[in-house]
């Protein structure tokens, strides 16, 4: 772990996660809050949130950030994705921890900035995740698990370098998976599927009601997707020794970017 800590590319990846997460949160939650602003041309209309607009904003923002920093950090932008890739043995324990810290900090900073930008909004929840009326904690947890499961499964499948049948854009596929999760979950939980995103809103809004659901659900969904993909759907041949080596030291090829060769992917690849 000490050698990994000293690599320049390691810290570039951390900064990339922080920056991309900040942009993602500001854009996506900002789109969700926009419906609260008065419509000048039609003051009699009641403002309603457009779930399709919000879902597309989250999905397109993820796809854009993945395309922008994927070659630097892998563009996890979600602790549940990071956990899935950790269990899939594609990232070290140290890097996973630092990624999650960077993601959470990015979400908090972006939400705080957004709070200032939208300070004139009445009852501004800042995108706070909450259970809908009639949805209990168990049901909300189930929604979060399923929505995150399909996202992490998509990430693992579309970035699996053992496949030779892939075509099209992996960032776009992952972005569409994020949008799909939101189309499912917005009406039930506000759609967390990203613990860092949920933490930013809860911390700045100072409201942690049922917040545990938006950590436990996504983490369980991400872990389940990784284990099912790696051991059932597309088993890897690496043994426990190889896995322990990656968890403690990172991948052997992972830091071949001490130079400026930005054309080599450094993340989201199998052993």
């Amino acid at each position: 772990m000490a050698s990994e800590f000293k690599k320049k590319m390691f810290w570039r990846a951390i900064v990339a996660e922080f920056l991309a997460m900040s942009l993602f949160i500001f854009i996506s939650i900002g789109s969700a809050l926009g419906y609260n602003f008065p419509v000048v041309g039609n003051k009699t209309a009641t403002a309603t949130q457009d779930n399709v607009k919000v879902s597309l904003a989250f999905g397109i923002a993820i796809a854009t950030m993945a395309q922008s920093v994927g070659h630097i950090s892998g563009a996890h932008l979600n602790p549940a994705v990071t956990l899935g890739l950790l269990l899939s043995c594609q990232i070290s324990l140290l890097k996973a921890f630092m990624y999650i810290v960077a993601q959470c900090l990015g979400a908090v900073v972006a939400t705080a900035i957004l709070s200032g930008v939208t300070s004139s909004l009445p009852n501004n929840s800042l995108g706070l995740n909450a259970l809908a009326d009639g949805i209990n904690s168990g049901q909300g947890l189930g929604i979060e698990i399923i929505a995150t499961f399909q996202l992490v499964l998509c990430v693992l499948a579309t970035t699996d370098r053992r496949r030779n049948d892939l075509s099209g854009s992996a960032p776009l596929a992952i972005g569409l998976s994020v949008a799909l999760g939101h189309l499912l979950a917005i009406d039930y939980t506000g759609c967390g599927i990203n613990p860092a995103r949920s933490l930013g809103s809860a911390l700045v809004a100072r409201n942690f009601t049922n917040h545990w659901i938006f950590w436990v659900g996504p983490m369980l969904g991400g872990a389940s997707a990784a284990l099912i993909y790696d051991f059932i759907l597309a088993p890897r041949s690496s043994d426990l020794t190889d896995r322990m080596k990656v968890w403690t030291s990172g991948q052997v090829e992972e830091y071949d970017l001490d130079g400026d060769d930005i054309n080599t992917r450094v993340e989201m690849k199998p052993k």
Side-chain angles (χ1 to χ4, degrees):
M1 287 190 184
S3 61
E4 184 180 37
F5 195 78
K6 297 176 182 178
K7 297 289 186 178
K8 290 185 293 184
M9 195 58 210
F10 176 89
W11 292 106
R12 290 177 194 162
I14 303 303
V15 172
E17 283 291 302
F18 171 81
L19 178 61
M21 189 69 178
S22 299
L23 290 171
F24 162 63
I25 292 298
F26 187 89
I27 293 168
S28 55
I29 296 183
S31 73
L33 296 179
Y35 82 97
N36 282 309
F37 283 98
V39 180
V40 176
N42 188 1
K43 294 183 180 296
T44 61
T46 301
T48 58
Q49 178 168 291
D50 185 341
N51 286 357
V52 175
K53 170 200 167 186
V54 174
S55 299
L56 287 176
F58 273 85
I60 294 171
I62 280 289
T64 302
M65 292 302 104
Q67 191 69 51
S68 300
V69 303
H71 61 293
I72 301 171
S73 70
H76 295 192
L77 307 183
N78 186 334
V81 171
T82 298
L83 177 62
L85 291 168
L86 175 65
L87 294 178
S88 186
C89 223
Q90 300 184 51
I91 186 173
S92 69
L93 285 165
L94 174 62
K95 197 171 189 183
F97 173 76
M98 293 299 294
Y99 267 27
I100 292 174
V101 170
Q103 291 157 6
C104 290
L105 285 176
V108 171
V109 168
T111 307
I113 295 172
L114 193 60
S115 175
V117 172
T118 61
S119 59
S120 61
L121 287 180
N123 302 317
N124 188 0
S125 66
L126 296 171
L128 182 70
N129 291 120
L131 300 179
D133 293 339
I135 300 296
N136 62 40
S137 57
Q139 293 167 331
L141 183 65
I143 290 290
E144 288 293 314
I145 290 173
I146 293 170
T148 310
F149 179 92
Q150 63 84 29
L151 167 60
V152 177
L153 186 65
C154 178
V155 170
L156 293 170
T158 56
T159 59
D160 190 340
R161 290 208 164 187
R162 297 171 297 172
R163 296 179 61 180
N164 55 18
D165 62 326
L166 287 172
S167 60
S169 169
L172 179 59
I174 294 168
L176 289 174
S177 180
V178 170
L180 178 63
H182 280 76
L183 288 171
L184 164 68
I186 282 180
D187 287 330
Y188 300 100
T189 64
C191 191
I193 71 171
N194 187 330
R197 166 261 190 274
S198 300
L199 176 65
S201 297
L203 190 62
V204 176
R206 300 179 184 178
N207 186 340
F208 289 89
T209 303
N210 292 319
H211 183 66
W212 66 272
I213 292 173
F214 304 103
W215 277 90
V216 175
M219 289 307 207
L220 284 177
S224 300
L227 295 175
I228 289 174
Y229 187 82
D230 257 20
F231 291 99
I232 298 177
L233 299 180
R236 299 181 188 274
S237 59
S238 54
D239 57 26
L240 182 59
T241 303
D242 292 330
R243 288 176 175 269
M244 290 299 295
K245 183 178 180 180
V246 176
W247 285 335
T248 56
S249 304
Q251 296 195 51
V252 176
E253 318 96 303
E254 189 172 353
Y255 295 111
D256 288 341
L257 290 187
D258 280 343
D260 296 322
D261 182 10
I262 63 173
N263 295 318
T264 304
R265 295 251 330 170
V266 299
E267 194 58 297
M268 286 189 179
K269 60 182 180 180
K271 277 178 62 59

